[in-house]
Amino acid sequence: MKLFKYFLIIILCSSTIYSQIWLDPFIDRDDVKLSEIQAVAEAHFATVDITAKGSGFKQYKRFEQFWKDRLMPDGTFPDAGLLLREKLKFAQSVDQKNSKVQANDS
């Protein structure tokens, strides 16, 4: 019975991995631009009934709306670690300023 459960879980997980075939050209690429995704999505959704439940159109539009104002100046998506690096840089500059102020007070 346990073997059947594991087998069922593997089958279900593997079937959902390929649910958005139209995104395959963008997998394993770091230089993807929103405009490229929009072009491929428009071509895909032209062949699909977007009013049908489960077409993925609403999710795509949410994705598009979310990212349109968060892109880099060249239209690519920001690096995942960019925010963390900037936060660390800011914290370091604040620490340096605080240590200078404390040194001047002594």
Side-chain angles (χ1 to χ4, degrees), residues 29-76:
R29 280 186 49 202
D30 293 332
D31 61 341
V32 178
K33 295 186 178 188
L34 182 62
S35 58
E36 294 176 45
I37 294 175
Q38 287 171 327
V40 172
E42 287 175 20
H44 169 72
F45 289 118
T47 64
V48 175
D49 179 17
I50 61 173
T51 60
K53 187 172 183 174
S55 67
F57 185 72
K58 280 186 179 179
Q59 290 83 357
Y60 162 69
K61 293 308 272 182
R62 285 187 195 118
F63 164 84
E64 183 182 42
Q65 185 70 28
F66 177 82
W67 280 108
K68 74 177 186 173
D69 297 327
R70 293 172 169 86
L71 299 174
M72 300 302 288
D74 64 350
T76 57

Side-chain angles (χ1 to χ4, degrees), residues 8 11 18 22-23 32 38 45 49 56 67 79 83 86:
L8 185 62
I11 295 297
Y18 295 104
W22 62 276
L23 289 174
V32 178
Q38 287 171 327
F45 289 118
D49 179 17
W67 280 108
D79 179 29
L83 184 61
E86 290 300 318

Side-chain angles (χ1 to χ4, degrees), residues 9 12 20 25 28 31-32 38 54 63 77 84-85 93:
I9 289 171
L12 290 175
Q20 295 181 338
D28 297 328
D31 61 341
V32 178
Q38 287 171 327
F63 164 84
F77 293 94
L84 177 63
R85 284 193 301 273
S93 70

